[in-house]
Amino acid sequence: MDQMAALELRSVDLQSPRNNKEHHTQEMGLKRLIVRRGQSFVLQLHFNRSFHFGKDYLTFVAETGPAPMELLGTRATFSLTQARKGNVWSASDFTTDTNSLLVSFFTPASAVIGPYTLKIEISQGQGHSVAHPVGTFILLFNPWNAEDEVYLPSEILLQEYIMMDYGFVYKGHERFITAWPWNYGQFEEDIIDICFEILDKSLYFLENPSKDYSQRNDPVYVCRVVSAMINSNDDSGVLQGNWGEDYSRGVSPLEWNGSVAILRQWSARGKQPVKFGQCWVFAAVMCTVMRCLGVPTRVVSNFRSAHNMDGNLTIDTYFDQNAEMLPIQKRDKIWNFHVWNECWMIRKDLPPGYNGWQVLDPTPQQTSNGLFCCGPASVKAVREGEVHLPYDTPFVYAEVNADEVIWLFRNGQAQEILVHNTSSIGKEISTKMVGSDQRQNITGSYKYPEGSPEERSVFMKASRKMLSPRRASSPFLDLLGCRGSQDQPAQLQLHLAKTPEWGHDLMLKLHARRVPDRVHPRGPIRLVVRFSAQALLHQGDTREPLWRQTVHLDLDFGEEIQWPLLLPYENYRNKLTDEKLIRVSGIAKVEDTGRSLLVLKDISLEPPHLSIEVPKRAEVGKALRVHITLINTLTVALSNCMMVLEGSGLIDGQIYNNIGTLVAGHTIQIQLDLYPIKTGPRQLQVLISSNEIKEIKGYKDIFVAASRAS
């Protein structure tokens, strides 16, 4: 019998369009093979002759990382078999057709993620084997697979937390929450490569590349590495933070529209940190990276977020008798808002019951095991006060649960507690609602209702774990456990008389009501109320007062007074930060007792609104006319106006338009054509910045249809 010719590999069809669609990666493109672990994919191998199973032997080798080893899980060797055997690398379920072989490949749900090379070794019997390159592919986490540690059993949630490439970041103040549109853009063609560049620049990789790669099968490890790499405090991370007000050497954090431009700049400029970011930028970029890698991720905002560095679960704030909030010497602060991520995963490193959403915070605040990163901390562990569970749970717990103590500072020392707030921190914890542009309040997943027995019980449990035994038995905990308010003869509140707009005078009303107390059960009282207004910075600091006023009030028992207050535009015109927040404080002194009362009002100034209209149906490749209108409702001109448009699937990169000066009271109308690139739901983000106001933002949801044959 004639000996068969040696089997030789002539070509390979990676079947990328078919495989990528089945693996939910088609949005990343159809030219490269991008698959998810724990799910089979097919390749077609073309030979010089027909393949004979039992006579021709095929062995495949898949490798990733700098020094692949089977022991480390970065190299897999497996032979062609007729049927798959369990959750291991395999090539099976093949069909032959003339000189071609269609093979089903399977990767285990615990495989290392990353770029792989695939080789084939061909032999006949015990004879010499010949190796051929088959091709390359990228392997990602698979939240569609029940065996994967990031499995999320809901198609609706997967469409939101993996497939949605735009969303909102919530900013501002608990009473003035602003939805900022953001272009995540995780499916732009080069973003997947940049994500792996980020992992390859981490200190873990640089210290021990083989060990680092071998741990990339673990979502806890990967998200922790990414959390450290989004900031640049320890490494060649993506973003450099800047909480000052001088952004002349980079881009103001307020002027970013999305993650794509940031990631591309970092990659293109030799992995130099991009200037500048603050918490919402760090978290939004991390969301892009984690969704791209296949980990369900969302962006979460916590309003009045405690930055509790000493772990004592109280944040102290100081006012002088003129109602001026004093500079904070300690690092403990209350941020107006703070933004972090939640990633969905199983926590095999924790006791049962702590799977699901985990807090990851890439903003550099404090070190964790020597690096500036935070998490993953189980949201369930935070809610239950299980602060001993890794990672960084005490810090996250304090962000949403710390108590606020406000002191009157006199003669060089804190002399009187004005307020002890047990419920003023961790407000309106927010994320984008699934399948909607609305905001979802998820405070209840972080803590029990404020004031409930469960909430105080959890607080006491966490306090005893976080404080040393010496302090845990001190009067400090007795103070935390009591909820009684101070006995005061009057109630004071500040209200806005009309909507506050930047560029206009601010109208407020002081509501004062006489109530009985032990010292003055029914008689009249006299109050001297000193007011101060200060620019409020994002991290909770304030500037020098920009307005002061003193009011004298006589209150009879049961009487209620409304006193008008005017804060002129000229007082704050050049005194605010880009965030346009003002804190108005009042300290009332009861004349015959010397006791003090505090009243506070934070004001967020509304910028002008822009409108975006798209009157016609959007189709791929067809001109789409967009109408953008901005009315300058201010009493001053907006100078040096720059417009930036962005939107994955609508625009490749960004469109810039210098629109000059917009005179007070005037309207500017801009028309331009876009040529949509991808089908499906898309979002156009528009930012107009000027010297006077950095952030006039708008968005438009656009559904793009496939092109109709002409």
Side-chain angles (χ1 to χ4, degrees):
M1 181 176 157
D2 292 339
Q3 189 176 2
M4 280 190 298
L7 189 69
E8 295 175 7
L9 184 66
R10 291 287 165 86
S11 65
V12 178
D13 180 359
L14 297 178
Q15 307 260 311
S16 298
R18 169 186 170 180
N19 288 319
N20 290 9
K21 283 176 184 172
E22 290 179 357
H23 286 249
H24 307 94
T25 61
Q26 71 273 22
E27 287 281 315
M28 296 181 186
L30 302 176
K31 295 174 185 173
R32 295 193 290 174
L33 181 59
I34 305 172
V35 293
R36 299 187 186 276
R37 63 188 195 173
Q39 183 177 339
S40 53
F41 58 95
V42 295
L43 305 184
Q44 192 161 31
L45 310 175
H46 296 279
F47 299 104
N48 60 325
R49 61 166 174 80
S50 58
F51 170 77
H52 297 282
F53 186 74
K55 294 182 179 177
D56 296 315
Y57 296 92
L58 304 183
T59 301
F60 296 92
V61 181
E63 296 180 328
T64 187
M69 291 175 61
E70 305 221 4
L71 190 64
L72 295 174
T74 50
R75 184 177 196 267
T77 304
F78 48 100
S79 298
L80 182 67
T81 56
Q82 287 182 312
R84 182 160 69 84
K85 303 169 187 170
N87 189 22
V88 294
W89 287 87
S90 63
S92 61
D93 302 313
F94 59 88
T95 56
T96 57
D97 178 21
T98 318
N99 291 356
S100 72
L101 184 67
L102 196 67
V103 183
S104 174
F105 287 83
F106 181 83
T107 63
S110 57
V112 166
I113 64 160
Y116 277 82
T117 58
L118 184 63
K119 294 184 295 187
I120 185 173
E121 294 174 354
I122 304 172
S123 64
Q124 290 171 285
Q126 300 298 314
H128 175 66
S129 67
V130 179
H132 300 267
V134 172
T136 61
F137 64 94
I138 292 173
L139 191 63
L140 302 176
F141 290 112
N142 191 353
W144 280 267
N145 187 290
E147 302 298 318
D148 200 305
E149 289 173 26
V150 300
Y151 175 55
L152 181 57
S154 164
E155 186 59 36
I156 294 170
L157 297 184
L158 287 165
Q159 288 303 313
E160 181 72 47
Y161 298 132
I162 291 287
M163 301 304 293
M164 186 66 76
D165 62 1
Y166 61 86
F168 298 96
V169 177
Y170 295 99
K171 297 182 57 200
H173 186 278
E174 60 169 310
R175 292 193 186 90
F176 320 100
I177 296 174
T178 305
W180 258 50
W182 192 271
N183 181 39
Y184 296 122
Q186 68 266 32
F187 300 128
E188 297 290 308
E189 286 203 19
D190 52 346
I191 296 301
I192 182 70
D193 303 303
I194 297 172
C195 289
F196 287 111
E197 288 175 11
I198 289 171
L199 296 181
D200 288 349
K201 277 289 174 182
S202 82
L203 293 181
Y204 293 102
F205 175 82
L206 297 175
E207 192 175 288
N208 190 332
S210 296
K211 183 183 177 187
D212 170 70
Y213 256 82
S214 74
Q215 293 179 274
R216 292 187 187 181
N217 64 330
D218 178 6
V220 171
Y221 177 79
V222 171
C223 68
R224 198 160 162 76
V225 170
V226 173
S227 167
M229 277 301 297
I230 297 300
N231 69 72
S232 59
N233 283 41
D234 309 292
D235 41 44
S236 305
V238 175
L239 279 157
Q240 181 175 323
N242 184 341
W243 286 268
E245 292 164 60
D246 179 9
Y247 306 118
S248 57
R249 296 177 59 210
V251 175
S252 162
L254 293 167
E255 293 182 43
W256 296 112
N257 262 348
S259 308
V260 176
I262 293 168
L263 290 166
R264 284 178 173 165
Q265 181 180 319
W266 176 79
S267 177
R269 297 188 183 176
K271 317 302 185 287
Q272 291 299 304
V274 176
K275 300 173 181 176
F276 292 104
Q278 288 183 14
C279 63
W280 67 92
V281 187
F282 289 114
V285 172
M286 180 158 182
C287 183
T288 297
V289 173
M290 298 315 297
R291 284 186 186 180
C292 186
L293 295 176
V295 179
T297 303
R298 61 188 186 183
V299 173
V300 172
S301 298
N302 177 39
F303 291 88
R304 301 209 86 239
S305 187
H307 186 78
N308 186 216
M309 296 300 288
D310 57 15
N312 68 353
L313 284 175
T314 60
I315 308 290
D316 297 309
T317 309
Y318 302 93
F319 285 83
D320 69 12
Q321 52 200 352
N322 296 315
E324 179 183 343
M325 184 175 162
L326 300 174
I328 300 165
Q329 302 302 324
K330 294 184 356 177
R331 292 199 295 165
D332 281 13
K333 292 176 184 175
I334 301 170
W335 294 16
N336 300 329
F337 68 95
H338 182 50
V339 186
W340 57 68
N341 301 98
E342 287 178 4
C343 294
W344 180 275
M345 68 191 70
I346 290 169
R347 290 296 300 273
K348 289 183 176 177
D349 58 324
L350 300 184
Y354 298 100
N355 299 332
W357 290 117
Q358 313 288 322
V359 172
L360 276 304
D361 190 349
T363 299
Q365 296 175 90
Q366 67 172 16
T367 58
S368 173
N369 291 350
L371 292 181
F372 277 95
C373 64
C374 179
S378 163
V379 173
K380 178 81 180 296
V382 172
R383 188 173 194 257
E384 300 300 332
E386 302 295 352
V387 292
H388 60 289
L389 297 176
Y391 290 86
D392 309 304
T393 310
F395 187 79
V396 179
Y397 181 86
E399 286 182 303
V400 299
N401 282 298
D403 281 6
E404 177 185 23
V405 180
I406 302 177
W407 298 83
L408 180 63
F409 200 82
R410 211 167 31 209
N411 301 326
Q413 61 183 10
Q415 292 199 343
E416 182 182 343
I417 292 181
L418 296 169
V419 180
H420 170 215
N421 273 327
T422 61
S423 60
S424 64
I425 285 171
K427 310 293 281 185
E428 295 291 330
I429 304 175
S430 303
T431 192
K432 177 186 175 297
M433 192 175 285
V434 174
S436 161
D437 286 355
Q438 299 302 305
R439 179 177 67 88
Q440 181 182 358
N441 186 327
I442 58 169
T443 309
S445 65
Y446 279 85
K447 53 186 177 179
Y448 289 96
E450 293 285 3
S452 67
E454 296 92 340
E455 183 263 340
R456 274 292 106 174
S457 170
V458 166
F459 188 91
M460 299 302 288
K461 175 171 72 172
S463 301
R464 289 191 167 90
K465 288 179 180 175
M466 290 173 67
L467 302 174
S468 67
R470 179 177 53 82
R471 290 171 65 194
S473 60
S474 73
F476 172 75
L477 276 182
D478 299 333
L479 171 69
L480 299 183
C482 80
R483 301 184 63 82
S485 60
Q486 292 178 338
D487 197 29
Q488 296 286 21
Q491 290 177 350
L492 303 179
Q493 288 182 316
L494 277 169
H495 295 287
L496 285 163
K498 66 173 188 177
T499 302
E501 291 182 89
W502 194 86
H504 296 262
D505 295 346
L506 304 180
M507 314 285 291
L508 297 103
K509 281 184 182 175
L510 171 68
H511 288 237
R513 188 163 72 91
R514 172 78 173 88
V515 292
D517 69 325
R518 282 195 294 268
V519 180
H520 312 84
R522 305 190 69 81
I525 59 167
R526 168 163 284 195
L527 300 177
V528 180
V529 192
R530 291 181 172 84
F531 289 100
S532 166
Q534 296 168 273
L536 185 60
L537 281 64
H538 168 56
Q539 285 185 290
D541 295 318
T542 51
R543 285 181 168 176
E544 291 287 310
L546 51 86
W547 170 86
R548 293 185 190 275
Q549 190 166 328
T550 302
V551 172
H552 296 266
L553 298 178
D554 291 304
L555 277 176
D556 271 335
F557 179 74
E559 186 180 7
E560 191 168 332
I561 292 177
Q562 292 191 22
W563 192 280
L565 298 167
L566 175 71
L567 203 170
Y569 167 58
E570 285 305 317
N571 280 64
Y572 71 80
R573 178 173 184 171
N574 298 313
K575 304 284 180 62
L576 302 187
T577 66
D578 291 338
E579 249 113 11
K580 304 286 186 275
L581 275 169
I582 297 174
R583 170 162 288 171
V584 179
S585 317
I587 288 188
K589 192 169 184 181
V590 184
E591 281 210 334
D592 56 347
T593 66
R595 291 288 298 279
S596 301
L597 292 81
L598 174 71
V599 62
L600 292 174
K601 184 72 176 177
D602 291 343
I603 302 170
S604 176
L605 300 178
E606 287 273 323
H609 293 275
L610 59 84
S611 68
I612 307 164
E613 295 299 327
V614 181
K616 296 203 173 159
R617 180 177 186 267
E619 281 184 36
V620 169
K622 189 175 177 183
L624 179 68
R625 179 60 57 92
V626 176
H627 303 262
I628 299 167
T629 305
L630 174 64
I631 304 169
N632 184 1
T633 54
L634 309 185
T635 55
V636 296
L638 296 176
S639 56
N640 195 24
C641 294
M642 174 66 76
M643 181 175 72
V644 184
L645 287 82
E646 190 168 328
S648 286
L650 295 171
I651 299 167
D652 184 11
Q654 295 171 305
I655 295 173
Y656 291 87
N657 194 339
N658 192 336
I659 51 181
T661 297
L662 180 54
V663 177
H666 283 224
T667 299
I668 189 166
Q669 292 183 316
I670 299 159
Q671 296 184 22
L672 48 84
D673 287 339
L674 306 180
Y675 293 85
I677 305 157
K678 293 179 178 179
T679 60
R682 304 291 163 192
Q683 188 184 80
L684 175 66
Q685 293 101 13
V686 179
L687 167 71
I688 296 178
S689 61
S690 67
N691 290 347
E692 291 70 25
I693 298 180
K694 291 294 181 209
E695 44 168 333
I696 302 172
K697 274 203 152 194
Y699 74 95
K700 186 72 175 178
D701 290 337
I702 299 171
F703 186 86
V704 181
S707 58
R708 292 182 285 199
S710 53

